[in-house]
Amino acid sequence: MRIPPLAADALIAAALCGVALLLGPEAARQGRVPLDATAYALVVLVHLPLVLRGRAPVVICCVVHANWLVFITAGYWPVVCSFGPMLAVYTVASLRPSRISVPCAVLLGATWIYSGVAGHADGLPAVAGQAVVYPAVLWRFGVVARRSAELTRRLRREQAERARRAVAEERGRIARELHDVVAHHMSVISVQTGLARFVFDTDPPTARTALDTIGATGKEALEELRRMLAVLRADDGDDNGASGDNGDNGDNNDNGSGGAPGSPMPGLARLEEMAERVRAAGVPVTLTVEGTPRPLAPGVDLCAYRVIQEALTNVLRHAPGARAEVRLEYRPHHLTVSVTDNGQEVILDRLHTGGGHGLIGMRERAKLYGGRISIGPREEGGFAVRLILPTSARGAAGGDDAAT
């Protein structure tokens, strides 16, 4: 149970006041004026304002010292009420900058010297030493406490900022996956739906084939969404879902929940299935593989697959009737992916309208895995996407080192 600050300050003020009242009878044994009712009332007045020291530290420090000066001037033993002013100076140093706290420390020292002079103390050098050491030590402790509190607040702000960035990165990761899954499959379904509606009465076999493609594409989209949601749930359970670096790698881990338990996210091994889907939607796709295919790191595999998927989706949406060519080149230390088409549509439409988010997603994926990507029109017409990804030795079967 946490005590409210005001209640804590009230308890501290009461404790100091109690100590001062218990110390009162000692004044007579020290040869000082015995404390009477007025003195005890002043003791309470010196310590009572400390209840509000956290809300107005400078004002309280001045009030406490003023009451203490009245107590000293009346001839009473100054030590009885010395604890309150000390705490007031420490409070100012812990809550206010040095330009404010130093004068308060000087005020404590000056009052201490005045008490020695007014009480005709025999050891004035000792009193002067105390007037320097006590305020300096209290001021230093207060400054350290203030800096520690500022550091704690700064660390909390940095942690909150990191948490906000992590949430933004996680939202970006989810948005990329949703875009890659939904945009491609919905584009295929849209094209096939238009075809089926057009030939429904005149060519039933073609309409039936289009409907079969729609069903298969929708089923695959649902499976991918289930896999993605299952992985996101697993990430939440492992407290890893907010890491931007784990974004795509996490999507390739096996999972034991969702609609497809234990099945990974798609990769280049399923590239032919995607090409067949796009062909069924009316875009002839040529798939060429150079070099010896080999297992890749899961994130690299998914990155290459998603870039090809987005590029072919853009051909479907922006270059109907164009031919597309997908080329994979397995090199000793990198993988090259290129997707080209001969579409003659207005290139600006593809760069700045429907494909905008997809192009950003492709660049983000390439950057995440240290790759380079170029996207833009070709001189001979059409559009080209070219991706170069460094491959990893941590692939499923040893990556580059195992293959070379």
Side-chain angles (χ1 to χ4, degrees), residues 343-395:
Q344 299 300 319
E345 82 289 358
V346 179
I347 298 298
L348 289 177
D349 288 344
R350 197 182 313 191
L351 286 173
H352 298 298
T353 57
H357 297 296
L359 299 184
I360 293 173
M362 284 194 281
R363 292 190 177 96
E364 288 179 347
R365 287 184 184 278
K367 182 179 179 181
L368 181 62
Y369 294 101
R372 303 192 307 274
I373 189 169
S374 59
I375 305 171
R378 299 192 300 165
E379 293 182 0
E380 61 271 29
F383 205 80
V385 175
R386 180 177 175 83
L387 170 69
I388 301 176
L389 279 175
T391 51
S392 170
R394 294 176 296 175

Side-chain angles (χ1 to χ4, degrees), residues 71-318:
F71 184 86
I72 295 170
T73 304
Y76 300 115
W77 189 31
V79 176
V80 175
C81 289
S82 61
F83 302 110
M86 289 182 179
L87 179 61
V89 169
Y90 168 82
T91 302
V92 174
S94 66
L95 296 177
R96 295 293 183 266
S98 297
R99 59 185 176 82
I100 297 177
S101 59
V102 168
C104 292
V106 172
L107 174 62
L108 174 61
T111 306
W112 201 281
I113 292 177
Y114 169 74
S115 69
V117 174
H120 305 287
D122 295 332
L124 281 179
V127 172
Q130 294 172 358
V132 173
V133 173
Y134 290 170
V137 171
L138 291 167
W139 177 83
R140 180 60 182 171
F141 284 169
V143 170
V144 171
R146 177 170 58 84
R147 291 176 179 173
S148 298
E150 290 175 352
L151 178 60
T152 300
R153 288 192 294 269
R154 185 163 61 249
L155 289 175
R156 286 176 179 172
R157 287 195 298 269
E158 291 175 357
Q159 289 175 349
E161 181 61 26
R162 283 197 297 270
R164 284 192 291 270
R165 287 199 302 267
V167 169
E169 290 171 359
E170 181 66 4
R171 287 176 176 173
R173 179 167 77 100
I174 295 172
R176 279 198 307 272
E177 290 302 323
L178 285 174
H179 178 276
D180 291 340
V181 172
V182 174
H184 173 75
H185 293 89
M186 291 302 102
S187 295
V188 173
I189 289 173
S190 177
V191 171
Q192 292 295 318
T193 301
L195 175 62
R197 184 182 294 111
F198 183 74
V199 301
F200 188 80
D201 295 322
T202 59
D203 192 352
T206 301
R208 189 177 296 108
T209 301
L211 292 174
D212 291 340
T213 302
I214 292 171
T217 303
K219 182 179 179 181
E220 182 170 348
L222 287 174
E223 289 177 355
E224 288 198 29
L225 286 172
R226 289 193 187 101
R227 277 192 291 264
M228 184 180 70
L229 292 174
V231 171
L232 290 175
R233 293 192 194 101
D235 286 347
D236 289 341
D238 296 336
D239 291 331
N240 292 328
S243 173
D245 291 338
N246 293 338
D248 291 331
N249 285 330
D251 290 337
N252 294 278
N253 296 334
D254 289 348
N255 59 76
S257 62
S263 58
M265 292 296 283
L268 294 177
R270 297 177 58 183
L271 191 56
E272 184 60 40
E273 297 178 23
M274 178 169 59
E276 285 296 333
R277 251 193 335 267
V278 176
R279 293 186 191 112
V283 174
V285 178
T286 302
L287 180 59
T288 304
V289 179
E290 296 183 5
T292 303
R294 63 181 183 273
L296 302 173
V300 173
D301 197 26
L302 179 62
C303 177
Y305 180 89
R306 291 303 193 199
V307 167
I308 296 172
Q309 184 182 58
E310 177 61 29
L312 292 178
T313 301
N314 284 342
V315 176
L316 270 173
R317 297 169 65 183
H318 301 287

Side-chain angles (χ1 to χ4, degrees), residues 17-104:
C17 186
V19 171
L21 293 174
L22 292 175
L23 191 60
E26 185 69 19
R29 289 190 287 270
Q30 295 292 330
R32 300 302 184 102
V33 177
L35 270 63
D36 53 15
T38 301
Y40 283 115
L42 287 172
V43 169
V44 174
L45 288 176
V46 169
H47 295 88
L48 183 62
L50 294 173
V51 176
L52 301 176
R53 66 189 180 93
R55 298 189 176 185
V58 178
V59 174
I60 296 303
C61 182
C62 294
V63 170
V64 167
H65 277 80
N67 293 335
W68 191 30
L69 281 171
V70 172
F71 184 86
I72 295 170
T73 304
Y76 300 115
W77 189 31
V79 176
V80 175
C81 289
S82 61
F83 302 110
M86 289 182 179
L87 179 61
V89 169
Y90 168 82
T91 302
V92 174
S94 66
L95 296 177
R96 295 293 183 266
S98 297
R99 59 185 176 82
I100 297 177
S101 59
V102 168
C104 292

